[in-house]
Amino acid sequence: HHGDGQLTKQEFFAIWGIAESSAWTPPRVPEAPRPLARVLRGFWKDASVQGAVVQSWKFTTFGQPSFAKANGRWYYELEIRKCDYPQVGWADRQFELEEGACDDGVGDD
């Protein structure tokens, strides 16, 4: 036992009582989820987007223009875990993307 909490390849196979395979390799680390939203207004440095999870430390407008719809039924679903001043709204084609400090976003009209 080497005390570092890590198993060697030989120790791993020995625990399971199976013959060690020289062809065995550990699985690859999964890729990070692709962002489902992006910053539309505000600074990227003040926000984090991982998959569908967004975090912001300042007023930031998130969205995904590639999900735009011109007809049919429109809906969205979100779960807010913690937010002091949430504003939820729709953005149309006239919504101007803006990199930088901006206190005017979706829900301010």
Side-chain angles (χ1 to χ4, degrees), residues 15-16 39 53 72 77 88 100 106:
I15 287 172
W16 294 100
V39 172
V53 177
E77 179 179 330
V88 178
V106 170

Side-chain angles (χ1 to χ4, degrees), residues 5 11 19 34 48 50 65 71 74 79 95 107:
E11 292 168 331
R34 291 180 39 169
S48 168
Q50 294 182 349
N71 56 32
W74 301 6
E79 177 181 337
F95 186 81

Side-chain angles (χ1 to χ4, degrees), residues 10-65:
Q10 295 79 16
E11 292 168 331
F12 174 82
F13 283 101
I15 287 172
W16 294 100
I18 54 178
E20 183 180 334
S21 168
S22 61
W24 181 86
T25 59
R28 289 184 298 148
V29 175
E31 292 181 27
R34 291 180 39 169
L36 295 178
R38 64 179 229 198
V39 172
L40 301 180
R41 283 195 180 165
F43 286 116
W44 267 107
K45 67 181 176 78
D46 296 327
S48 168
V49 180
Q50 294 182 349
V53 177
V54 297
Q55 296 181 26
S56 178
W57 297 270
K58 302 216 175 172
F59 288 111
T60 307
T61 296
F62 295 96
Q64 185 49 274

Side-chain angles (χ1 to χ4, degrees), residues 64-70 93:
Q64 185 49 274
S66 67
F67 292 163
K69 298 208 32 115
R93 291 179 190 211

